[in-house]
Amino acid sequence: MAKFELKLPKMGESVAEATITSWLKEVGDTIEADEAVLEIATDKVDSEVPSEVDGVLIEKFFDVDDIVQVGQTIAVIEIAGSDSGSNEAPKAEPAKVEAKDAPAVAEVAKTVVAAKETAAPIVNSGERFYSPLVKNMAKQEGISQAELDSISGTGKEGRVTKNDMLTYIENKGSQPQIAAAKSEEAPKAAPIKAVESKPTPTPVMASGDDEIIEMTRMGKLIAHHMVESVQTSAHVQSFIEADVTKIWNWRKKVKDEFFKREGENLTFTPIFMEAIAKALRDFPMMNISLQGDTIVKKKHINLGMAAALGNGNLIVPVIKDADQLNLVGMTKKVNDLATRARDNNLKPDDIQGGTYTVTNVGTFGSIMGTPIINQPQVGILALGAIRKVPAVVETPEGDFIGIRYRMFLSHSYDHRVVNGALGGQFVKAVKDYLEAWDSNREI
């Protein structure tokens, strides 16, 4: 029968791997096309991986909590529907083999059994992490868990790399000499690992009254993503205050009629998103990504919209081609993504392809913030709370003090590719679009 390799699908520009959270099918189970086979999770979203064919699951390459790279084969499905003639052929052939070459067949069977025992499933040992590539190499070469644990890793934090595996496999025949070399080199290798250069975290002492809370899987992934972003990008911030009195009064005037007509709540978020999309169109070098020494200028303006979840975690659904939407379309898109984010119903496509991100820190009363860039983007804008404050109002008749609705816009950008002039001009353009709002606008 034909076999189909089930691979981890692409789930976003910045998503390179996923963690298997559960298998919905076991070896021997019948699977229909589009039926979910397993559940996966990234730092962006939880999702299911469906089968593209009808058949039977005959092999799984990973266990729960294993990390899988995008494009890597997860399982093998035997495709149903092959003709019966192909099933009968193998039955006649083994009979000839058993009569003629029985000793050879028995020897091969013993070899297969021994190989299976040697290539037992490889797991992470204590603090030591093995990548899926290393695990697969160990499985293919019949390297046991004990052997793998004994290999000295040259990767980050002592991880075993592909080159370490190739070196070990090449020299496997002369194991005694390798062991001796390792024992001699061990004292020299210790200083090379710049352990002293990294300050050791101060141990946290917990008393009997303290509660120990294990971080969630998504929380750990988000934490790693945030630290990685700070270590990657040279974060710089620019702040500017915008007068949104016209927007406040206009929305108050039209929101009830809008709800009756469209069945949607008109919040401030789609209004702000419209202004930001226009500013990105004016300053396309804010709509870029950095890959090594190469700048990728994005053709589409896809706005990420950070949304807080009920469990305290964060997710960033994406509004595709935001500059092409009118205010009604933007409102419907914002409300749809926000609702599905809260209900944990987002699909992988909903969180991929973002080119610039917006976060509304004002939802929780903050007037400004210093948000962390969502890699591989180069900018993120925080919207502060709208406050009623006394302010100087300039008129043809002179200046006077009035009560105005104002908010801060906090712009974080990557100083490796965005200088202060561009970062400041962009956020100033957003402010100008907001303050120039047409009080008589119809939607």
Side-chain angles (χ1 to χ4, degrees):
M1 283 190 175
K3 295 180 180 179
F4 173 80
E5 292 186 350
L6 181 65
K7 300 179 183 291
L8 182 65
K10 186 176 180 181
M11 294 166 291
E13 182 180 11
S14 61
V15 179
E17 61 186 23
T19 302
I20 295 178
T21 55
S22 68
W23 281 95
L24 304 178
K25 295 292 183 179
E26 297 298 334
V27 173
D29 288 353
T30 301
I31 301 171
E32 296 181 358
D34 296 326
E35 186 177 6
V37 179
L38 68 156
E39 293 178 334
I40 58 172
T42 69
D43 59 343
K44 303 287 188 181
V45 69
D46 293 352
S47 183
E48 296 177 340
V49 178
S51 171
E52 299 177 31
V53 297
D54 295 332
V56 177
L57 182 63
I58 61 172
E59 191 170 6
K60 299 191 303 184
F61 294 123
F62 298 95
D63 297 322
V64 173
D65 293 332
D66 280 352
I67 298 174
V68 187
Q69 303 298 313
V70 169
Q72 198 166 13
T73 300
I74 308 172
V76 175
I77 298 172
E78 194 171 58
I79 301 176
S82 298
D83 55 34
S84 58
S86 61
N87 292 337
E88 295 173 3
K91 292 181 182 178
E93 193 62 29
K96 295 179 182 178
V97 173
E98 287 181 49
K100 197 173 181 179
D101 301 313
V105 173
E107 188 63 31
V108 171
K110 288 180 182 179
T111 304
V112 171
V113 171
K116 287 184 177 179
E117 291 175 353
T118 303
I122 301 298
V123 296
N124 298 330
S125 300
E127 296 296 323
R128 200 166 201 197
F129 171 83
Y130 297 118
S131 69
L133 175 61
V134 169
K135 290 181 181 179
N136 282 340
M137 291 179 71
K139 181 179 179 181
Q140 292 169 4
E141 296 297 330
I143 297 174
S144 66
Q145 180 77 52
E147 285 181 273
L148 189 58
D149 291 345
S150 68
I151 298 175
S152 178
T154 60
K156 185 178 179 182
E157 298 178 353
R159 290 185 180 180
V160 177
T161 65
K162 176 183 177 182
N163 289 335
D164 296 333
M165 292 294 291
L166 292 174
T167 301
Y168 179 80
I169 294 167
E170 182 180 351
N171 300 316
K172 195 174 179 182
S174 54
Q175 195 66 32
Q177 290 86 338
I178 295 173
K182 284 182 183 175
S183 63
E184 292 176 6
E185 293 174 4
K188 298 178 183 178
I192 297 174
K193 294 181 182 178
V195 176
E196 288 83 2
S197 64
K198 287 186 178 181
T200 304
T202 304
V204 178
M205 303 302 293
S207 67
D209 296 331
D210 296 334
E211 181 183 2
I212 307 299
I213 301 174
E214 180 71 20
M215 288 182 67
T216 63
R217 175 197 47 75
M218 180 176 280
K220 292 177 184 178
L221 293 170
I222 291 174
H224 173 75
H225 190 61
M226 294 296 98
V227 171
E228 186 180 48
S229 179
V230 172
Q231 293 173 344
T232 299
S233 297
H235 282 64
V236 175
Q237 284 80 30
S238 292
F239 306 90
I240 198 166
E241 192 175 18
D243 189 322
V244 292
T245 305
K246 291 181 180 179
I247 293 175
W248 181 282
N249 293 333
W250 176 84
R251 174 183 171 273
K252 184 178 180 180
K253 179 177 66 176
V254 304
K255 64 178 183 178
D256 292 339
E257 180 185 346
F258 184 87
F259 181 79
K260 289 179 182 177
R261 190 186 74 198
E262 303 293 340
E264 300 278 353
N265 288 318
L266 177 61
T267 64
F268 289 103
T269 300
I271 298 173
F272 297 148
M273 289 294 193
E274 181 184 75
I276 294 165
K278 289 179 179 179
L280 285 172
R281 197 164 52 194
D282 295 341
F283 295 93
M285 289 306 291
M286 281 304 311
N287 199 51
I288 65 173
S289 290
L290 182 63
Q291 293 182 351
D293 296 328
T294 303
I295 293 174
V296 180
K297 188 176 178 182
K298 302 293 185 178
K299 180 179 180 181
H300 299 274
I301 295 176
N302 300 333
L303 290 180
M305 180 183 72
L309 302 178
N311 59 6
N313 289 319
L314 189 71
I315 199 165
V316 186
V318 176
I319 302 171
K320 306 291 177 61
D321 294 314
D323 59 321
Q324 304 298 315
L325 298 174
N326 60 21
L327 191 56
V328 175
M330 185 76 79
T331 300
K332 291 180 180 292
K333 196 66 177 177
V334 166
N335 291 348
D336 172 60
L337 290 173
T339 299
R340 289 197 286 122
R342 285 191 298 267
D343 295 341
N344 197 29
N345 286 329
L346 290 174
K347 300 176 181 178
D349 185 62
D350 293 326
I351 51 92
Q352 73 176 7
T355 60
Y356 188 88
T357 298
V358 182
T359 179
N360 190 352
V361 299
T363 302
F364 307 104
S366 298
I367 61 173
M368 60 176 63
T370 55
I372 297 174
I373 296 169
N374 187 14
Q375 297 295 329
Q377 300 165 21
V378 298
I380 180 172
L381 187 67
L383 307 173
I386 299 176
R387 300 161 299 126
K388 190 189 296 187
V389 297
V392 175
V393 180
E394 298 178 357
T395 68
E397 292 76 26
D399 298 344
F400 66 91
I401 301 295
I403 303 301
R404 309 294 292 177
Y405 290 93
R406 300 177 73 87
M407 66 182 294
F408 281 101
L409 306 175
S410 308
H411 185 209
S412 291
Y413 47 94
D414 190 343
H415 210 17
R416 296 178 300 166
V417 287
V418 180
N419 58 32
L422 175 58
Q425 288 172 343
F426 170 77
V427 73
K428 173 66 162 53
V430 177
K431 162 190 162 77
D432 291 342
Y433 277 119
L434 295 177
E435 292 186 342
W437 190 264
D438 183 3
S439 300
N440 298 315
R441 179 173 176 174
E442 296 182 359
I443 54 173

